[in-house]
Amino acid sequence: MRRVALLAGLLGAGRVWAGPAAALHVTAEVDGEAAPDCVLRAYAAGSLSRENQAAPEPVATGKVGEDVELKPGKYDVALECPVESRKVDALSRGVAVKAGKATPLAVKIEKGAFIVHGVHGDSRAQKGEYTVWFEGTAITAGQAAVGSRVTVAAGNYDVKLETEVDGEPVVVLVQKYAVKAGRPQVLNMDISPGMVKLLVTRNGKPAEGGGAVTFPGQRERIKEFTAGEPVPVSPGTYDVLGSLASSFDFTEKRQRKVVIKAGEVTEVKMDLPRGTVRTTCTMDGKEVPASVQGFIPGAPDYFNTAPCGQILELSPGKYQFKLVLDAEKAGWKVQGGVPPPEVWHRNVVVAASKGGEVKADWTPARLRVTAKKNGTPTEAAVTVLKPGGPAVGGGPAGEELVLIPGRYDVELLFPGKRGPARELVRGVDCPAGKTSAVGVNLERATLTLDVFAAGQPRADAEVLLFKEGSDIPYARGKAGEELEVPPGDWVPEARAGELRRQFSRMRLRAGDREHRKVELE
């Protein structure tokens, strides 16, 4: 296989096209005979653990006898080989593939087989099926009905039997079952029930809760049940999960490697420490309908929600809470497109056996905005906005605005001959039940230029005002027209036909009404 080509004619001398950095070349034998029809799948080494629930996608696929392109590294390589009317799978772990020449891997498979029976006392299960995985992985090596044979390569496997006893589903797992080459073996799996009884306590005191059983280290639940009552579980080694029925955060505790024996009750005790957070939402001293959302710091979404007014039970740790008013039920009118009123409590620490509290007081706040122009009261339109968000209210300056408590930006639009002037006040705090005051003074000066050319008035002349150092006019108008601008340094310019002249800088102060005559020639 050629993996580096010199394209001197196309790319120029000295420039090299680099092909795949590495490759794997696999050959296979089954019981001493070449198996050229095997298909291979390469996975990143260590990625096949059954704790991941399902096998990942392979990083490469191919056939034996061919070079399969890979990056240098370690891989777990699975083979699927058709043999007569059956298929035989094999798994080679930790195969090191190096850059350069294709890495050879010779796989020699010795066929083995076994039959699984579910045994209950003196009887056998008549229905059900079993699944075979390569030991500790999510790669399936075979599947069959109970009493039927599975052909596999000699090696170690995990076997899961799913059947039923007296109408109740039963799931049993045998790990590291050794299959030898040669005649079929028989695996009798005991499906006689044992019992597990979970007892949960909250801060050392008996409590109601629930439990579940999983195979060791896995997430898939074999059985779920209510704590306090014995439940049948097939003999074996399991992880037992426990939780409290009243917990707001759904946190579970896992007790590992619990051994359940046939005919015995295995008792599992778990203490689940919890703290509490009281939630209070009021308006004008009375409770109002609202909800509480719980967040783990840094998480994009809440993990649970509940009506405000409850005492929330949580595992020790740090949380964030968002209290959201039901504005419609509370009788509060919210403008279209504006989110409902909310209050955040961040970095709330919950400790075992201790209580805390989060509150929201939506008693209306009031805001009075006064507008002045050069110190003289004037008219202006007021808009109240959530910082970085939509408008939540507004009205004319001088009127009292009723708002949900919070922090807002306040925008004022002052009327003017050439359009409104805008002023923005950021971060105005409006506490519940109090009146806040904001005063905004718009400072302006005016300049009027009478323009002459050769001593004759040029009423058709255009007047422009530039901020010092800018090439873009801030204001423009006609000769004799009053131009209003903020205080500062300004450079006027007059234009009439082909005539144009820029004049020296002038400083305008708040309240100035400058009127000047200028000559274009």
Side-chain angles (χ1 to χ4, degrees):
M1 177 181 179
R2 188 176 185 184
R3 292 182 289 138
V4 177
L6 181 64
L7 304 181
L10 295 176
L11 301 179
R15 296 185 64 182
V16 176
W17 172 79
L24 178 66
H25 189 95
V26 179
T27 56
E29 293 181 1
V30 177
D31 289 340
E33 295 185 7
D37 297 325
C38 297
V39 176
L40 71 88
R41 302 184 303 277
Y43 301 88
S47 67
L48 299 179
S49 169
R50 202 156 62 253
E51 290 186 10
N52 298 328
Q53 299 295 301
E57 290 295 319
V59 297
T61 59
K63 293 183 178 181
V64 299
E66 299 178 356
D67 287 0
V68 177
E69 299 173 358
L70 292 166
K71 294 179 180 180
K74 286 192 174 183
Y75 297 89
D76 295 338
V77 181
L79 292 186
E80 183 178 308
C81 299
V83 179
E84 298 174 351
S85 61
R86 303 177 184 272
K87 71 178 181 70
V88 180
D89 292 352
L91 181 66
S92 302
R93 305 178 196 239
V95 178
V97 176
K98 298 180 180 179
K101 187 177 180 180
T103 300
L105 174 64
V107 180
K108 296 183 178 181
I109 300 172
E110 293 181 300
K111 286 192 298 184
F114 66 100
I115 301 168
V116 171
H117 294 290
V119 180
H120 179 209
D122 295 330
S123 62
R124 287 180 174 177
Q126 298 301 309
K127 58 183 179 180
E129 66 177 16
Y130 63 98
T131 304
V132 183
W133 293 280
F134 290 102
E135 179 194 345
T137 77
I139 297 290
T140 303
Q143 194 170 30
V146 291
S148 299
R149 185 175 69 175
V150 164
T151 301
V152 294
N156 290 342
Y157 297 89
D158 297 337
V159 183
K160 182 175 76 172
L161 170 63
E162 297 178 89
T163 182
E164 61 180 46
V165 175
D166 298 330
E168 290 292 323
V170 174
V171 182
V172 184
L173 178 69
V174 170
Q175 295 177 297
K176 298 182 181 180
Y177 178 63
V179 178
K180 297 179 181 179
R183 298 180 60 183
Q185 302 169 202
V186 175
L187 172 60
N188 290 318
M189 300 178 71
D190 190 354
I191 57 175
S192 303
M195 304 286 281
V196 62
K197 182 179 181 181
L198 174 64
L199 300 174
V200 295
T201 55
R202 179 196 302 109
N203 300 326
K205 297 180 180 180
E208 295 181 352
V213 172
T214 74
F215 289 126
Q218 296 185 31
R219 294 193 295 269
E220 182 182 359
R221 295 162 187 258
I222 303 167
K223 180 170 287 190
E224 295 182 305
F225 49 86
T226 301
E229 296 294 330
V231 292
V233 178
S234 303
T237 300
Y238 303 91
D239 290 352
V240 177
L241 308 178
S243 62
L244 293 174
S246 57
S247 186
F248 181 67
D249 61 330
F250 306 121
T251 300
E252 293 180 319
K253 187 174 183 178
R254 180 182 289 262
Q255 188 158 322
R256 300 182 182 274
K257 296 184 178 179
V258 176
V259 178
I260 297 175
K261 299 179 180 179
E264 297 183 11
V265 177
T266 300
E267 200 169 86
V268 178
K269 296 181 180 179
M270 288 187 187
D271 184 53
L272 302 168
R274 292 291 187 272
T276 59
V277 173
R278 180 185 297 275
T279 61
T280 306
C281 298
T282 59
M283 181 185 293
D284 293 323
K286 299 178 181 179
E287 289 188 1
V288 288
S291 62
V292 181
Q293 298 173 359
F295 293 78
I296 300 298
D301 201 2
Y302 60 86
F303 59 80
N304 199 6
T305 183
C308 187
Q310 296 186 2
I311 297 177
L312 308 179
E313 188 176 272
L314 297 115
S315 302
K318 188 176 288 187
Y319 300 89
Q320 296 179 350
F321 297 96
K322 182 169 73 171
L323 287 69
V324 183
L325 176 69
D326 189 328
E328 184 176 350
K329 291 182 179 179
W332 186 271
K333 293 183 179 180
V334 176
Q335 295 183 13
V338 177
E342 61 187 41
V343 173
W344 277 91
H345 290 267
R346 304 183 188 275
N347 298 322
V348 177
V349 177
V350 176
S353 302
K354 294 185 178 181
E357 186 172 19
V358 292
K359 296 180 179 180
D361 183 1
W362 283 296
T363 299
R366 287 170 168 78
L367 175 65
R368 185 182 296 276
V369 180
T370 56
K372 295 181 179 181
K373 187 173 182 180
N374 296 330
T376 302
T378 188
E379 295 180 349
V382 176
T383 303
V384 181
L385 309 100
K386 291 181 72 70
V392 298
E399 286 192 3
E400 194 170 77
L401 304 178
V402 180
L403 302 167
I404 285 290
R407 173 171 286 190
Y408 300 97
D409 294 343
V410 179
E411 180 186 72
L412 286 84
L413 293 180
F414 293 83
K417 293 179 181 179
R418 307 189 64 82
R422 177 178 177 268
E423 292 287 322
L424 182 66
V425 181
R426 298 186 182 274
V428 177
D429 287 315
C430 298
K434 295 184 178 180
T435 300
S436 302
V438 173
V440 178
N441 182 38
L442 180 70
E443 293 186 330
R444 287 295 184 267
T446 62
L447 174 64
T448 304
L449 289 186
D450 292 334
V451 181
F452 294 82
Q456 297 300 314
R458 292 296 300 265
D460 62 330
E462 183 182 25
V463 176
L464 300 91
L465 284 181
F466 295 85
K467 283 188 174 181
E468 187 176 27
S470 173
D471 294 329
I472 301 173
Y474 180 88
R476 62 200 314 161
K478 295 293 184 181
E481 183 180 353
E482 190 175 69
L483 299 181
E484 187 176 81
V485 293
D489 293 333
W490 297 93
V491 178
E493 182 177 304
R495 300 174 183 176
E498 298 296 325
L499 300 175
R500 174 182 297 192
R501 184 177 179 185
Q502 194 170 82
F503 304 95
S504 59
R505 173 179 61 87
M506 60 176 59
R507 176 164 295 174
L508 298 177
R509 296 178 175 81
D512 284 352
R513 301 177 68 87
E514 283 287 327
H515 193 146
R516 297 191 180 186
K517 296 179 180 181
V518 294
E519 179 72 37
L520 273 174
E521 293 181 338

